[in-house]
């Protein structure tokens, strides 16, 4: 198997190894310049690359190609075109030109754009992102691309991400230069940990709520929940294990370094983490991983659920975004071993702390989705308040720096920056707090708020840009400094003093923290429509415009798209509930009540002395539930119609949150009460116990 892994790894990827082997050396050299230095690709080179790429893909069975991109909502999009080109004599050749490689023109009119692009000028194009390798999937050559309108606005999630990476690089290079390092590019790196559920396909197919919305909208709690805490790192079900093996293999073929896999906290919940990579590549890979999970599960009689909260009452799924900045030689968030390395580390650390504090509201928008609203603040995931965990040791260091007092860590010493070496931070003390939304874990930060279903591009775009902004401020200041070392120390101190409020090492799940955070003035936006207005806050628009990542118009359009998306999702959920309640649950309750009533009547006909207490008792409860259900149905229906009738997407989103969600909860509560007493043969939906505890 080990040898096999090496043989299959990357076999479906047009990577540098393949390029080097197959491309004429001059072409390879130009492409490499594009890859590593961002030099524009000229058409002649593109033509050669395209033809070699086509031949390579055809050898792997590809007949079509697609520009693979990330629309504003949803995960990825692709439109397949065949290589086929009729030659006029009834035969055809397989063609693929450089123009087709570098630029595609999907009909963009039905992708969400938030008013950016009137439908009549539905013209956008996709442009190859050569830093993310092309690959073959399902007989299709997939070319990772960015998607922009003809007037240059970003219509996707990748374009701003690439812009933000360049912005951060430019500023980080300036800082490194001051430390005497001439570096051409600083990349941001990401290692996403993907959580997901696997349930039986037959159960999934019996639940319209899972099919239409990805989560269960009804369902009484399982008699056994996750209280035994036996699932985390537990033995993996054989079927699941087989699935994971094939998943690993398919991912390896695509050059995705899938590394760890294990069971998670909730029953049926699992996690997969790859080895980290450059941000845009890591995100492309994460999206592919999600797709592959969904695609392979049915082969094993399973369905992969990636919604943040498929089941009420058991943990939901997140996607931890491990993040750092690196040159080809060093990880900039690694404290290092010498005073100078420590000082450099502290500058980058301070920039992240300042960025997260100043743009917490904007960062919060990147994880605001209707699905993730069920997690954040629900005592299973970080709260909606963004704070930074640095661990006790680093906190002691930071406090010592800020207050000019001796560092009182395990080894007492005065922190005279630039002379002393930071105490070694053990992974143990930096990785213990699982309740923190933004945790320093030794040599990287782990942003734990993103939901499992999300595309991590937004989170990283915002993080990169905010950090770029702080690095720029630092570079502007330090480049003017007469005494560099003194200036750096002053700057680190000032940052820590000004932004100390965002650092919190305690338990983020407690009510005390919520109160304390409020005192500190940290924002706490608990749900999506409340969080999204930060997208159009002038301070945040200014940030994005300053670095050319997004324009005001692009930000406004994203705000529109997200608000609309929220309303649409809740609307689908509400309507799905109504349909299930009307067409499946009420009829089931009535049918069971009919049988119970008949049994009682028959018993009484046989003998007046037979007790019908059990029938009567259950009938009374179900009859009450059924009455309450029809009322709840009417109330939900009215709330849904009223919300839907509103004009602005903002009003709509708030109405769906304030009015429709509570009506959904009310309907669910009565239905779940009925489920508990209704006969199993009558209840149409597979129960939580059955779905979560399959064998
Ligand atoms: P856990 O968070 O479960 O303890 P690890 O700390 O081993 O797991 O790593 C989680 C993820 O962080 C992995 O995907 C790993 O590749 C990634 N990671 C490690 N170093 C970096 C880095 N410098 N930049 C980004 N991600 C990283
Ligand atoms: Mg982790």
């Amino acid at each position: 198997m080990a040898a096999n892994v090496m043989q299959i790894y990357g076999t479906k990827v047009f990577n540098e190894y393949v390029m080097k082997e197959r491309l004429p050396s001059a072409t390879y050299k130009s492409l490499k310049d594009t890859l590593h230095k961002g030099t524009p690709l000229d058409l002649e080179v593109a033509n050669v690359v395209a033809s070699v790429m086509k031949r390579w893909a055809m050898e792997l069975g590809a007949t079509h190609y697609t520009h693979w991109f990330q629309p504003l909502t949803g995960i990825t999009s692709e439109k397949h075109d065949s290589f086929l080109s009729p030659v006029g004599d009834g035969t055809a050749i397989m063609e693929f030109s450089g123009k087709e490689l570098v630029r595609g023109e999907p009909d963009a009119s039905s992708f969400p754009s938030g008013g950016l692009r009137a439908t009549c000028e539905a013209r956008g194009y996709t442009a190859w992102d050569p830093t993310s390798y092309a690959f073959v999937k399902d007989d299709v050559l997939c070319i990772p691309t960015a998607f922009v309108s003809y007037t240059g606005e970003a219509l996707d999630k990748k374009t701003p991400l690439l812009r933000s990476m360049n912005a951060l690089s430019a500023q980080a290079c300036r800082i490194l230069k001051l430390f005497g390092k001439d570096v051409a590019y600083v990349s941001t790196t990401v290692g996403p940990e993907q959580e997901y559920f696997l349930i039986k396909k037959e159960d999934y197919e019996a639940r319209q709520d899972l099919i239409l919305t990805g989560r269960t909208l009804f369902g009484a709690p399982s008699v056994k929940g996750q209280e035994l805490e036996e699932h985390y790192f537990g033995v993996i079900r054989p079927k699941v294990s087989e699935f994971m093996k094939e998943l690993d293999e398919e991912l390896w073929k695509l050059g995705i370094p899938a590394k760890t896999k294990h069971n998670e906290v909730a029953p049926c919940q699992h996690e997969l983490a790859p080895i980290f990579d450059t941000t845009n590549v890591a995100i492309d890979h994460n999206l592919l991983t999600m797709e592959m999970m969904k695609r392979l599960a049915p082969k094993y009689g399973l369905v992969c659920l990636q919604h943040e909260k498929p089941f009420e009452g058991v943990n939901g799924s997140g996607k931890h975004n491990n993040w750092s900045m690196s040159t080809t030689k060093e990880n900039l968030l690694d404290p290092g071993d010498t005073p100078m390395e420590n000082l450099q580390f502290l500058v980058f650390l301070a920039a992240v702390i300042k960025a997260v504090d100043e743009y917490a509201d904007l960062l919060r928008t990147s994880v605001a989705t209707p699905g993730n609203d069920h997690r954040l603040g629900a005592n299973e995931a970080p709260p909606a308040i963004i704070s930074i965990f640095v661990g006790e040791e680093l906190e002691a260091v930071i406090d010592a720096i800020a207050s000019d007092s001796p560092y009182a860590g395990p080894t007492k010493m005065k922190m005279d920056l630039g002379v002393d070496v930071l105490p070694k931070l053990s992974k143990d003390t930096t990785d213990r707090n699982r309740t923190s939304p933004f945790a320093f874990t030794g040599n990287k930060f782990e942003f734990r708020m993103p939901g499992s279903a999300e595309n991590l591009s937004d989170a990283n775009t915002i993080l990169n840009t905010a950090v770029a902004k702080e690095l720029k401020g630092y570079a502007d200041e330090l480049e003017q400094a007469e005494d560099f070392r003194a200036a750096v120390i002053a700057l680190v101190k000032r940052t820590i003093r000004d932004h100390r409020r965002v650092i919190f090492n305690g338990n983020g799940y407690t009510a005390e923290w919520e109160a304390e955070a409020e005192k500190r003035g940290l924002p706490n936006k608990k749900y999506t429509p409340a969080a999204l207005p930060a997208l159009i806050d002038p301070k945040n628009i200014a940030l994005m415009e300053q670095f050319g990542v997004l324009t005001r118009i692009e930000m406004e359009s994203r705000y529109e798209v997200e608000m609309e998306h929220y309303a649409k999702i809740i609307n689908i959920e509400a309507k799905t509930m109504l349909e299930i309640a009307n067409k499946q649950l009420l009829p089931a309750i009535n049918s069971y009540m009919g049988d119970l009533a008949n049994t009682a009547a028959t018993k009484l006909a046989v003998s007046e002395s037979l007790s019908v207490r059990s029938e009567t008792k259950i009938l009374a409860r179900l009859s009450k539930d059924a009455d309450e259900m029809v009322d709840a149905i009417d109330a939900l229906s009215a709330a849904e119609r009223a919300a839907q009738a509103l004009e602005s997407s903002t009003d709509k989103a708030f109405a769906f949150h304030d009015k429709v969600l509570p009506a959904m909860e009310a309907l669910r509560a009565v239905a779940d009460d009925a489920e508990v007493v209704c006969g199993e043969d009558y209840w149409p939906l597979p129960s939580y116990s059955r779905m979560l505890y399959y064998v």
Side-chain angles (χ1 to χ4, degrees), residues 193 320 434 446:
E193 300 166 54
H320 293 173
R434 312 303 287 182
E446 183 167 344

Side-chain angles (χ1 to χ4, degrees), residues 196-200 240 243 268 270 297 302-305 694:
Y196 61 98
F197 280 84
L198 288 173
I199 62 164
K200 274 189 167 171
V240 170
F243 158 82
C268 301
H270 312 280
L302 301 166
V303 168
C304 176
L305 305 177
Y694 62 88

Side-chain angles (χ1 to χ4, degrees), residues 39-56:
T39 335
L41 197 67
D42 74 49
L43 197 59
E44 232 169 273
V45 175
N47 275 327
V48 179
V49 177
S51 117
V52 172
M53 203 189 263
K54 177 199 68 188
R55 200 173 323 125
W56 166 84

Side-chain angles (χ1 to χ4, degrees), residues 188-193 232-233 257 259-260 262 264 271-277 320-326 331-333 427 431 434 441 443-446 448:
T188 56
T189 50
V190 162
E193 300 166 54
Y232 191 59
F233 285 4
K259 170 99 174 151
T260 8
H262 60 78
E264 260 300 329
E271 179 184 299
L272 182 143
I275 296 169
F276 71 94
D277 216 323
H320 293 173
N321 187 79
N322 293 275
W323 177 92
S324 193
M325 301 167 267
S326 294
N331 175 353
L332 301 178
L333 289 177
K427 166 129 173 115
D431 202 24
R434 312 303 287 182
T441 53
N443 60 4
K444 63 185 190 297
F445 276 99
E446 183 167 344
R448 300 206 178 104

Side-chain angles (χ1 to χ4, degrees), residues 474-582:
Y474 289 180
D476 290 347
E477 186 177 329
L478 296 175
E479 281 168 1
Q480 304 305 319
E482 301 203 337
D483 179 345
F484 174 66
R485 185 175 288 182
V488 171
I489 293 171
L491 177 149
V492 169
K493 273 185 190 161
R494 194 182 67 225
T495 304
I496 290 167
R497 279 181 198 153
D498 293 350
H499 300 281
R500 183 69 183 78
R501 65 169 191 167
V502 78
I503 297 174
F504 174 65
N505 284 329
N507 184 348
Y509 291 177
T510 63
E512 291 80 52
W513 167 234
E514 223 179 306
E516 163 71 17
E518 199 183 333
K519 266 196 245 147
R520 294 190 189 183
L522 301 179
N524 182 8
K525 301 290 184 202
K526 296 192 176 188
Y527 55 91
T528 299
L532 292 177
L535 278 173
I536 46 173
D537 184 313
K539 162 193 77 125
N540 296 331
I541 291 176
L543 169 74
M544 291 297 169
E545 290 205 313
Q546 182 183 353
F547 291 92
V549 172
L550 287 169
T551 62
R552 181 178 58 79
I553 295 176
E554 288 169 326
M555 295 281 274
E556 284 167 353
S557 82
R558 266 145 227 261
Y559 170 81
E560 282 295 316
V561 167
E562 297 289 335
M563 280 290 193
E564 263 172 33
H565 181 68
Y566 181 86
K568 281 181 191 162
I569 294 289
I570 309 296
N571 187 38
I572 293 169
E573 290 184 348
K575 291 206 302 207
T576 305
M577 282 191 94
L578 289 170
E579 190 168 283
I580 293 176
N582 279 320

Side-chain angles (χ1 to χ4, degrees), residues 157-458:
K157 290 186 182 276
K158 183 177 231 176
T159 307
L161 176 72
L162 294 172
R163 293 174 183 165
S164 76
M165 291 168 66
N166 290 338
L168 184 140
S169 173
Q171 303 308 324
C173 287
R174 285 176 69 195
I175 299 283
L176 289 174
K177 190 151 191 170
L178 292 166
F179 279 92
K181 297 172 186 172
D182 199 7
V183 169
Y185 199 83
V186 170
S187 17
T188 56
T189 50
V190 162
E193 300 166 54
Q194 177 72 44
E195 292 182 339
Y196 61 98
F197 280 84
L198 288 173
I199 62 164
K200 274 189 167 171
K201 192 160 170 275
E202 62 202 67
D203 291 338
Y204 175 84
E205 282 166 352
R207 298 207 54 137
Q208 203 62 13
D209 48 2
L210 282 178
I211 294 172
L212 294 178
T213 73
R215 72 178 181 111
T216 52
L217 300 167
F218 293 100
S222 167
V223 287
K224 176 173 164 183
Q226 61 190 42
E227 63 272 31
L228 296 179
E229 296 179 346
E230 61 195 352
H231 195 251
Y232 191 59
F233 285 4
V235 178
I236 299 173
R237 286 182 177 98
K239 220 178 343 185
V240 170
S241 180
E242 277 169 45
F243 158 82
M244 286 176 166
K245 270 187 208 144
E246 182 171 354
L247 177 62
D248 274 346
E249 266 178 43
E250 287 307 312
L251 295 179
W252 290 334
K253 285 184 201 164
L254 289 166
I256 300 174
K259 170 99 174 151
T260 8
K261 50 184 179 185
H262 60 78
N263 283 353
E264 260 300 329
V265 175
C268 301
Q269 194 185 26
H270 312 280
E271 179 184 299
L272 182 143
I275 296 169
F276 71 94
D277 216 323
T278 314
T279 305
N280 62 321
V281 174
I283 291 175
D284 282 354
H285 282 174
N286 174 247
L287 297 171
L288 261 178
T289 301
M290 292 169 76
E291 185 184 324
M292 211 47 88
M293 285 174 168
K294 283 195 177 155
R295 183 178 328 176
L296 290 178
K299 270 181 77 175
Y300 299 89
L302 301 166
V303 168
C304 176
L305 305 177
Q306 293 169 354
H307 191 283
E308 283 85 359
K309 194 74 175 176
F311 304 100
E312 207 134 303
V314 294
N315 273 11
S317 300
K319 177 150 52 196
H320 293 173
N321 187 79
N322 293 275
W323 177 92
S324 193
M325 301 167 267
S326 294
T327 68
T328 47
K329 296 203 181 74
E330 64 178 328
N331 175 353
L332 301 178
L333 289 177
D334 195 329
D337 299 315
T338 67
M340 217 43 189
E341 283 171 359
N342 285 174
L343 206 56
Q344 180 191 303
F345 159 73
L346 285 169
V347 170
F348 285 100
L349 179 78
V352 177
I353 291 172
K354 185 159 186 249
V356 171
D357 188 28
E358 287 183 342
Y359 296 99
D361 58 339
L362 186 56
L363 203 51
R364 171 71 180 88
T365 65
S366 74
V367 295
T369 65
N372 214 22
D373 280 0
H374 299 283
R375 283 178 70 238
L376 300 181
N379 279 8
E380 56 166 63
I385 310 159
I386 298 187
S387 64
I388 301 178
F389 169 89
V390 291
E392 276 166 32
E393 279 173 317
L394 191 55
E395 190 183 31
V397 169
I398 283 174
D399 283 342
I401 296 169
S403 60
D404 275 326
S405 55
Y407 164 71
T411 45
K412 216 174 167 78
M413 62 191 231
K414 189 167 177 335
M415 282 306 303
D416 179 5
L417 282 180
V419 180
D420 291 332
V421 178
L422 286 183
K424 268 271 157 262
L425 307 168
S426 49
K427 166 129 173 115
D428 231 28
T429 59
T430 56
D431 202 24
R432 236 177 252 147
N433 189 333
R434 312 303 287 182
T435 68
S436 174
F438 203 89
F440 181 70
T441 53
N443 60 4
K444 63 185 190 297
F445 276 99
E446 183 167 344
F447 184 32
R448 300 206 178 104
M449 287 172 111
S452 50
E454 261 170 58
N455 178 325
L456 289 174
S457 294
D458 290 348

